[in-house]
Amino acid sequence: MLIADKLRELRHILSEVNHVVVFTGAGISAESGVPTFRSPDGIWAKFKPEELANINAFMANPQRVWEWYEHRRTVVDQATPNPGHYAIVALESLFDRVDVITQNVDGLHARAGSRRIHELHGSLHAHRCLECSTPYDLAATEEGVPHCPSCGGLIRPGVVWFGEDLPQDVWQRAETSTRECDLFLSVGTSTVVYPAAQLPFLALSLGKHVIEVNPEATDLTRHADTVLQGAAGEILPELVATIRSDRSK
Ligand code: OAD
C-alpha cells in the first residue's frame, strides 16, 4: 500500500489523539549527515563498542575515548536538523502534548525546537566528573581530558556507556509518557538496544497505536500497527501535511 493510502487510513485514529510520543534513534539524524550505528558503513562497523563506549575503555585510555567523543561532537555540531526533526516540532502545534524520547546524543531535536525531550542515552554536550558527578562546562578551546575543579577527578562524556544504567529520572518520565500517550511513533531506530527498545513494546502491550517510520524492517516491524516504510525526512513531513489538511477541513 502506498504511504499516502496508509496516511489516509490513519486519519480517523489521528483525529482522536491528544498525546503523542515520538521515540527516535540514529535514523532520524541520518539525513543530517550523522552516521547511524548498525548500517554497513555505520559507527559500529568501524569501531568496536568494547574499545570505546564503556568505562573500562575510558579508564584504560581516557585520551583515546575522549578524542572519539570530541570527534563525534564536532560532527554533530557541524550538522543541522533535517525536515524529520522539524516535522516532529510541527506536531506540537497539532496535538496537546508531544514527548520526544530519544536514544540520540546529538542534541538535534533541541536545536530544531522540540520542547519536551527525554534523552535516554545522555548527551555529547554534557560532561561530568567521573568521581563526584559534578557537571563540567567544557570551554571551546580546551584540549585533552579535563580534571574536575572540585575533586580533581577525570571529566567524562555525559553519555550512557554499555553496562551503565540509564538516568533513572529520564527513564521514569519516558515510561510514564509511554503509558499516558494515545499514539506512539517509533522513528529511525533498529529497536535492539535495551532497555530503550522496551518502550514501543510497552506501548503495544497497553493497546496504544504504534507507528513505525523506517526504510528497513526492524524487530518492531511485524508488531507495529502501521508501518510507514521510508526516510523520516520524507515521511514525517507528509504525516504533518495530512494532519494539517484534515484540521483545515
Ligand atoms: P541503529 O544504527 O541501530 O539503527 C538506525 C535505524 O535507522 C535503522 O533501523 C535504519 O534502518 C534507520 N534509518 C536509517 N536511515 C533512516 C532515515 N533516513 N529515516 C528513518 N530511519 C532511518 O541506531 P539506534 O537504533 O539509534 O547506544 O541505536 C540504538 C543505540 O545503539 C544507540 O543509542 C547507541 C547504539 O549503541 C548507546 O551508545 C548507548
Side-chain angles (χ1 to χ4, degrees):
M1 195 191 285
L2 293 172
I3 297 291
D5 294 332
K6 289 194 176 181
L7 290 174
R8 250 193 306 280
E9 273 193 355
L10 275 175
R11 281 181 162 151
H12 67 283
I13 290 162
L14 293 168
S15 66
E16 307 275 295
V17 167
N18 294 309
H19 182 183
V20 181
V21 161
V22 190
F23 174 61
T24 64
I28 184 79
S29 298
E31 289 155 90
S32 295
V34 180
T36 61
F37 291 93
R38 292 176 182 79
S39 58
D41 57 351
I43 290 177
W44 296 148
K46 297 196 183 90
F47 303 99
K48 291 193 180 128
E50 58 273 23
E51 285 175 10
L52 290 161
N54 67 74
I55 183 68
N56 294 335
F58 185 67
M59 294 316 288
N61 194 338
Q63 185 64 27
R64 179 165 185 264
V65 172
W66 182 263
E67 279 172 10
W68 186 64
Y69 281 98
E70 281 301 281
H71 165 72
R72 285 181 56 198
R73 193 166 65 91
T74 307
V75 169
V76 305
D77 286 349
Q78 286 167 357
T80 49
N82 68 60
H85 294 106
Y86 289 117
I88 293 170
V89 179
L91 292 176
E92 291 184 13
S93 62
L94 298 167
F95 297 101
D96 291 346
R97 178 166 166 171
V98 176
D99 283 280
V100 179
I101 303 174
T102 189
Q103 297 161 88
N104 299 346
V105 293
D106 57 28
L108 288 174
H109 285 299
R111 280 170 59 200
S114 283
R115 285 181 301 172
R116 204 185 279 270
I117 303 167
H118 312 285
E119 292 179 314
L120 293 177
H121 292 165
S123 165
L124 289 170
H125 300 92
H127 301 86
R128 67 173 190 275
C129 176
L130 186 66
E131 306 298 334
C132 69
S133 300
T134 303
Y136 183 81
D137 269 337
L138 190 67
T141 51
E142 230 163 319
E143 278 182 25
V145 191
H147 289 265
C148 175
S150 310
C151 76
L154 285 171
I155 299 298
R156 60 162 284 173
V159 298
V160 174
W161 280 329
F162 287 97
E164 292 182 333
D165 290 336
L166 303 192
Q168 281 311 294
D169 52 338
V170 183
W171 175 251
Q172 284 307 327
R173 286 200 300 273
E175 205 191 306
T176 302
S177 300
T178 302
R179 288 182 185 283
E180 290 175 356
C181 75
D182 312 307
L183 178 72
F184 190 101
L185 273 166
S186 180
V187 182
T189 174
S190 53
T191 47
V192 293
V193 173
Y194 284 77
Q198 276 172 24
L199 294 174
F201 293 99
L202 172 65
L204 282 169
S205 74
L206 296 169
K208 317 287 179 183
H209 193 95
V210 173
I211 301 177
E212 179 178 61
V213 179
N214 199 310
E216 309 285 339
T218 73
D219 288 0
L220 179 65
T221 308
R222 66 196 166 90
H223 304 282
D225 297 295
T226 306
V227 177
L228 301 174
Q229 192 181 5
E234 290 165 21
I235 303 274
L236 293 177
E238 269 192 69
L239 176 67
V240 167
T242 304
I243 303 166
R244 279 204 179 123
S245 85
D246 280 358
R247 300 278 169 98
S248 64
K249 280 176 190 154

